[in-house]
Each structure stands twice: as C-alpha cells, then as structure tokens.
Amino acid sequence: MSDFTRLQIRHLSFLGPNRPAATVRFEPGFNVVYGASDTGKSFILDSIDYMLGGRGPLRDFPEREGYDRVLLGLASTSGESFTLQRSTAGGGFLKVEGLHETDFPQQGASELREAHDDRKDDNLSRYLLKTIGLVDRRIRRNKLNETNSLSFRNLARLAIVDEEEIIQKRSPLSDGNLVADTPNTATFKLLLTGVDDSSLTPIRSSPQEHSRAGQLELLGQLIADNQAKIRNLSGPPKQLEDQDQKLEESMRGRLQALVAHENEYKDASTRRREARRKLEEANERLTEVSVLLDRFDLLGKHYQSDVERLEGIREGGTLFSALSDGVCPLCGAEAQHQHRSADCEGNADQVVRAAEAELRKIDLLQEDLTKTVRQLNTELRNLQRRLPKLESDEFQLSTRIREELAPNLRAMRTSYSELAEKRGEVREALGLYVTLKDLEDRRATLEREEAEASGGNTPDAGLPAASLDKFATVVQHILQSWHFPNAERVHFDQKARDLVIGGKNRTSFGKGLRAITQSAFTIALLQYCKEQATPHPGFALLDSPLLSYKEPDGDDDDLRHTDLKTRFYEYLKQLGSDQQVIIIENTDPPDDVRAMSYAQKFTGNPGEAGRAGLFPVT
C-alpha cells in the first residue's frame, strides 16, 4: 500500500489594519503552547479548526479587536506549501502558494468556497482532500448503506480535540449525535484500512425507516446547533440558574438605585427649569424697565420743553398786560376799535391764565413721572442685584446635572441594561437547555425504535477486527510508555466503539484520565496510520490533555504523584518530522521541554519576559 501525503501546520497569523501581526509558528514533530489562562492558547486550536473549514465566525474578545483576517500556513510531506486566508467573520477562503505570515499576496491567489462539494474543485475541503490523496472517497451514512462524499471535516474531528471534547464521557467517534456516529465510524475505518465505502450498495428500506432516518438526521443537526449555541453562551444549567438568581437580585438593587438617581435627576431638572424661568423673567423685566426709563426720560424732556414754552407765554402775556393802550399786538386794531369787554383770542390775561393752568397740570404730571421713574430705578437696581444670584443658581444646577447627575444616570442605565442583557443571555441559554433536552428525548425515542426495528444491532458494526487489534496495540504501547496505570491490557470494544483499558471502559474513568486516554487515542491513530501507511491529515491538536495535573476529578483521577507528565512529554519529543502533534496546556512542561524551540510560553503578563499572549499588547 502506497504512502499518503500528510499535512503540517506551519503558522497561524492574525492581521488587521494598523495592527501588528499576531503570529504563532509551529515546527514538524512535537509542539507545545503552555502558560497562563486567558492568553489565547485555546483560541489557537479554535482558529486552526476554523481555518480548516470549521464554522464561523470566530469568538470575539477585546484583544482580537481590529484583526479582520486569519492566515494559516500549511506544508505537505511532498514538499509543497501554501497559505490560506479567511475573514474572521466567516465565509470563503483565498489560497496562495508559499508560506506568508505577515501579508497575503493577492497576485496568484485563488478562491475556495467553505462548503464541501465533491462535484467541484472550487472548495477548501476538496482541495485539502486532493492534497492528501483522499479525493472522491465515500463513507457510509446509515445502516441502509447509503453513503456521503468524504469531507475534510470528517477527518478534522479525529485530529483536532478541543478542551471540551477531550473530557466528554463518550466514544472518541461520537459527537453525541447518533446520525453523525455512523459517518464518524466510517471515517475511522477509512483511516485504519485505507478503504472507503464506495462499493456499498444501498439497501431498500421501508418508508418508516426512511422517515426515522430523516428525523434522526434533522434532530441531530438541531441538537448540534443547540450545543454550539450553548457553548458560546454559558455554562451548565445549575450554574446558569444560580447566575440567573444572582442577576435578578443585582437587577433589583440596581433598579432601586436607578429610580433614586432618576428622581434626583428629575428634581434637579425641575429646579433648573424654575431657575431658568426666573432668570428669563428677570432679564425680560430688566429690559422692559430699561426701555421704560429711556421713554420716560424722553417724556420728561418733553415736559420740560412744554414748561419752558408755557413760562415764556406767561411772561410775554404779563408784559402785554402792562403795556399802554395802543394798537393791539395780536389783531392790529386801533385803540378806538378795540372791544375790551369782549373775549377774543388776543386776550393776553386769558392766555396767561391758560398757560398757568397748563403749567400746574404739567407739574402734576412731572411729579407722577418722577415718582414712577424713582420706582423703576429702584426696581432696576433690585433686578441688577438679583440677576447674578439667579445666573449662579442656574449655572450651578446645570453644571451639577451635566457633570454629576447625567453621567451617573447614564452609567446606572447602562449598568442596568448590561445586567438585563446578561440575564437575557442566561435565560436564553436555559431555554436552549430545555430545547436541547426535548430534542435529545425525542432522538432517544427514535433511536429505541431504530434499535428495535434492527433487532438491537448497532448500525456501525463492521470495523475490521484485525485493524482494531493493531490499533489497540499502538494505544497500549503509548499508554505504557506514559506509565498510565493498569495499561497492560487494551482492546477496542466494537459495540461501545471505544477503548477498554485494564478491563475498564474508557468512559468510566474520571475526566482527567479521560483526557489522557482521548489523547492516546488521537495520537495512536496518527502513529498507526504512519506505521500502516494508511491516510491521515498528518497532524493532531490536543487541548488540555494533562487535566488530571490541574483539576483532578477525585483521588483516582489525580496523577500528580506519578511521572506520567514527564513520560508523556518524553514520548512526544521522539516524534519524527513526518508527524506533527500540537499540545495546548495550562500546566508547565518539564524544564528540558521548556528550553526547546518547539515550546512556546504565554505569560499573561506584558511586563514579564517572553510572550504575553497570542495577540500583542497595545
């Protein structure tokens, strides 16, 4: 059997406008990224999976802000290398020959769609399958021997194990979805034997079987979608219920504080409106008084002019009365023609009396005007004294509202909205758990009907015993090399589709030992395919395989008193350059491993020597 081409991951880079490139490099053989939590280590595995066709978009967090593209550099054992580019928001890919870490040349780039299509060469899955020699392979889809075209995603799930999957209490060939278990097992058989299911002839089935199969497939997709949403939202139901209760209590207290802030803001706003009203009224009255004073000043001048005119008339009339008889100065009549006993317009005495009467009236008006002007001047002075105080009151209230009350109210509203939004997410997650439970119950019912209809046989039977025995031997050798307890006997249980180690089902171990045995399964598959010259992607990525050294699940799961960690790394150090294993770990490896180029530490501290995290600290 001819050897197949393998792929190796050479670099992962994040790029963005005006952002320094965030790049992590990998070597052939063994690689380990270790260090502090929340530094982007697990995100490396998620990003590599995403760049190999995983669903997007990528998780968002503050450090990733401003980065809009991902580059993944890959090399094959046949000597070729290429770089893939994809937006962080999802979508298709661009591919260019050669390894490019900090920029992506557009010249010579070709487009690859994200969705697998075995009839076209314009998608990433078919391109990668063609690179490793597995194009146009088919895998069994269900017990009716119906087949699907092999997708690179079928291979990726056996090579990439994240921190959640590595501790799952189920077979490494199971997604928790019965519909997906059959193609997963068929893909495992393909890697063990190099033989696909193209030769299978579909079995004629009843309408009931087709209906159950279709319902199971749909339920499986719905369950997988809900599980993905739950992973992105929050933790287990009990934790969510506690969180919901705490959020409700926090919201109740925050609401009381918000109401108090709103009342204080409303009271200050009311007082500011009243202060502005008084200020506007005072300014309007001040303007009105000033205008009146100007008009009254003009009126006083008119009065004074009238007084001067009337006094002139009175003085002239008096002089006329003192003159001897002669020609009338008004009408020009001679003395003999004058009628002194009759009134006429030329009666000087009468004119004088009229002028004096008018002067007395003007005196009264002037007295009233003087009194009014005096009152207006008094009011003007009062207004001028009051205005600074009114302006100061309005300014202080406005300043307090603008600089203290309004920001505090905005902060309280924002805080309350964030709590409400978070509570909405928690309740959405709780609702998803309810929906997921309902879907799983319905699927379990259909699975029971399926099992009864098939006589209790599992639909995935048929893995070759000889290949399974060889595979189990490789797993046993690895576990013994790691000094795993009771690893003298290892075999593969076809019914459970999982390992039995020292007479104990793998899923019966604590989560720490499940993580180690899942790692042994994944690495053994890589090793087996090399030894048997069967196909394999060529790499294995594992997140938190040594969980029992950090969070042991009881005394039986605690390996901190053993040398398993040392032996684990000793084994991986001996890997050849034609295989690649990338380990993501929170615990520190041995000193000799930390000193090697294939070990990268994320300190989590920008001030500490070394790399703080995946993304540069800005």
Side-chain angles (χ1 to χ4, degrees):
M1 187 179 294
S2 61
D3 197 6
F4 289 85
T5 300
R6 317 287 189 189
L7 289 173
Q8 293 186 347
I9 298 162
R10 291 302 174 85
H11 71 80
L12 174 74
S13 298
F14 281 81
L15 305 180
N18 303 317
R19 292 283 183 176
T23 301
V24 57
R25 302 178 184 86
F26 302 101
E27 300 180 4
F30 171 50
N31 294 263
V32 59
V33 180
Y34 68 98
S37 299
D38 298 325
T39 54
K41 301 190 307 298
S42 294
F43 189 67
I44 291 173
L45 184 141
D46 295 341
S47 301
I48 292 174
D49 186 56
Y50 170 75
M51 291 302 293
L52 293 173
R55 288 186 179 182
L58 284 171
R59 287 186 290 119
D60 195 13
F61 47 90
E63 291 79 6
R64 209 209 79 187
E65 185 177 347
Y67 290 90
D68 59 356
R69 290 164 290 150
V70 193
L71 305 184
L72 182 69
L74 295 160
S76 69
T77 52
S78 62
E80 299 175 352
S81 62
F82 58 94
T83 300
L84 301 172
Q85 175 181 280
R86 191 182 192 188
S87 167
T88 56
F93 298 80
L94 291 175
K95 178 195 74 73
V96 70
E97 299 299 324
L99 298 176
H100 303 274
E101 294 183 1
T102 58
D103 62 348
F104 188 86
Q106 298 299 318
Q107 186 173 3
S110 58
E111 295 184 10
L112 295 171
R113 293 187 296 114
E114 61 176 326
H116 171 75
D117 188 343
D118 62 319
R119 294 165 297 181
K120 297 180 180 179
D121 290 333
D122 65 347
N123 58 88
L124 176 70
S125 175
R126 188 169 173 85
Y127 172 77
L128 295 176
L129 290 173
K130 185 179 291 186
T131 302
I132 63 176
L134 283 178
V135 71
D136 294 327
R137 302 299 182 96
R138 301 196 70 80
I139 54 174
R140 188 183 187 194
R141 179 161 66 95
N142 54 35
K143 73 167 189 172
L144 302 175
N145 286 346
E146 294 175 337
T147 60
N148 286 335
S149 170
L150 176 70
S151 166
F152 193 81
R153 296 307 303 165
N154 297 120
L155 302 174
R157 75 158 310 280
L158 293 175
I160 302 175
V161 187
D162 63 28
E163 59 183 340
E164 293 184 3
E165 188 65 31
I166 205 167
I167 61 171
Q168 288 297 328
K169 209 170 186 178
R170 59 175 180 250
S171 162
L173 304 179
S174 176
D175 292 336
N177 176 4
L178 181 65
V179 174
D181 288 353
T182 301
N184 289 344
T185 305
T187 304
F188 180 57
K189 186 188 78 171
L190 170 62
L191 298 187
L192 290 181
T193 64
V195 179
D196 70 344
D197 295 322
S198 300
S199 61
L200 289 178
T201 301
I203 300 170
R204 183 174 296 178
S205 60
S206 66
Q208 291 85 354
E209 289 175 316
H210 261 302
S211 175
R212 278 197 300 268
Q215 290 180 56
L216 280 170
E217 186 170 356
L218 176 59
L219 286 171
Q221 292 173 355
L222 292 174
I223 287 172
D225 289 343
N226 276 273
Q227 288 172 335
K229 291 178 182 177
I230 285 171
R231 281 197 298 270
N232 290 333
L233 283 174
S234 226
K238 182 64 172 66
Q239 179 182 338
L240 288 171
E241 290 171 359
D242 293 342
Q243 193 173 2
D244 181 56
Q245 184 176 357
K246 291 177 181 176
L247 284 170
E248 185 176 2
E249 294 173 357
S250 297
M251 286 179 65
R252 192 181 301 116
R254 200 66 55 85
L255 180 60
Q256 292 175 353
L258 177 59
V259 169
H261 275 74
E262 286 182 338
N263 289 337
E264 187 177 8
Y265 180 84
K266 289 177 182 177
D267 178 64
S269 297
T270 300
R271 287 189 285 115
R272 181 177 63 176
R273 283 196 300 272
E274 181 65 19
R276 283 178 173 174
R277 184 187 64 78
K278 291 180 179 179
L279 180 61
E280 288 171 1
E281 288 179 353
N283 278 318
E284 289 175 0
R285 182 57 182 165
L286 180 65
T287 302
E288 184 180 346
V289 168
S290 298
V291 170
L292 287 173
L293 286 173
D294 290 340
R295 290 179 178 178
F296 288 165
D297 181 62
L298 183 60
L299 181 60
K301 290 179 180 177
H302 282 304
Y303 284 162
Q304 185 60 35
S305 176
D306 289 342
V307 167
E308 291 174 356
R309 176 176 56 81
L310 291 171
E311 287 179 345
I313 291 173
R314 182 178 62 181
E315 184 177 354
T318 303
L319 292 174
F320 281 133
S321 298
L323 292 175
S324 59
D325 293 339
V327 180
C328 180
L330 296 177
C331 63
E334 295 291 338
Q336 63 271 20
H337 299 296
Q338 295 176 8
H339 306 284
R340 295 180 176 273
S341 60
D343 293 334
C344 77
E345 295 179 357
N347 190 332
D349 293 335
Q350 189 175 13
V351 171
V352 169
R353 288 194 298 275
E356 289 176 344
E358 191 67 21
L359 281 171
R360 286 192 295 274
K361 287 171 59 179
I362 291 176
D363 284 340
L364 293 174
L365 290 174
Q366 282 181 322
E367 288 179 6
D368 290 341
L369 179 62
T370 301
K371 182 179 178 181
T372 301
V373 168
R374 187 164 54 248
Q375 291 174 345
L376 288 174
N377 279 321
T378 301
E379 185 178 358
L380 178 68
R381 288 191 295 272
N382 290 336
L383 287 171
Q384 289 172 339
R385 284 196 299 269
R386 285 179 57 210
L387 275 174
K389 178 67 168 58
L390 293 174
E391 290 173 348
S392 175
D393 290 345
E394 192 277 337
F395 177 78
Q396 290 176 3
L397 284 168
S398 296
T399 301
R400 182 167 179 252
I401 289 173
R402 183 178 63 253
E403 297 181 358
E404 178 186 346
L405 297 181
N408 289 345
L409 184 58
R410 282 195 299 270
M412 290 297 298
R413 286 174 175 170
T414 301
S415 177
Y416 185 79
S417 298
E418 289 173 351
L419 285 175
E421 184 177 348
K422 181 63 178 175
R423 190 187 184 197
E425 292 178 359
V426 169
R427 293 199 165 183
E428 181 184 355
L430 286 169
L432 287 173
Y433 274 110
V434 173
T435 302
L436 181 61
K437 179 67 167 56
D438 179 61
L439 292 172
E440 289 175 339
D441 290 343
R442 291 163 62 186
R443 185 178 68 179
T445 301
L446 284 173
E447 287 174 349
R448 284 195 298 271
E449 294 176 0
E450 183 81 5
E452 291 172 1
S454 61
N457 294 326
T458 61
D460 295 324
L463 289 170
S467 298
L468 290 176
D469 186 57
K470 291 178 184 177
F471 173 70
T473 301
V474 177
V475 176
Q476 179 176 321
H477 170 71
I478 290 175
L479 289 175
Q480 289 176 340
S481 298
W482 295 351
H483 289 184
F484 188 86
N486 303 317
E488 294 79 12
R489 291 180 297 112
V490 177
H491 74 274
F492 190 93
D493 184 346
Q494 285 231 38
K495 185 175 181 181
R497 292 174 297 116
D498 205 348
L499 299 168
V500 178
I501 302 167
K504 187 175 181 179
N505 292 331
R506 193 191 71 85
T507 54
S508 299
F509 290 107
K511 65 180 181 181
L513 297 189
R514 289 200 302 273
I516 292 173
T517 52
Q518 166 77 76
S519 303
F521 182 99
T522 305
I523 295 171
L525 185 58
L526 175 66
Q527 185 69 31
Y528 171 94
C529 292
K530 175 193 174 183
E531 294 173 359
Q532 301 299 321
T534 58
H536 191 279
F539 53 81
L541 281 78
L542 301 168
D543 192 351
S544 306
L546 297 173
L547 188 67
S548 62
Y549 277 83
K550 185 181 180 184
E551 300 175 8
D553 193 10
D555 293 338
D556 294 339
D557 197 50
D558 190 353
L559 296 178
R560 287 176 291 186
H561 60 285
T562 72
D563 65 344
L564 187 142
K565 181 165 77 169
T566 301
R567 304 292 297 184
F568 173 83
Y569 284 109
E570 286 295 329
Y571 178 87
L572 294 177
K573 284 165 55 180
Q574 298 172 13
L575 288 175
S577 59
D578 56 346
Q579 301 175 86
Q580 188 182 45
V581 174
I582 299 174
I583 302 295
I584 308 293
E585 256 303 336
N586 287 326
T587 60
D588 289 351
D591 293 343
D592 61 326
V593 174
R594 295 202 299 269
M596 303 304 292
S597 60
Y598 49 70
Q600 303 182 61
K601 180 179 181 180
F602 287 5
T603 65
N605 184 0
E608 187 175 339
R611 182 169 183 161
L614 173 60
F615 293 96
V617 177
T618 56

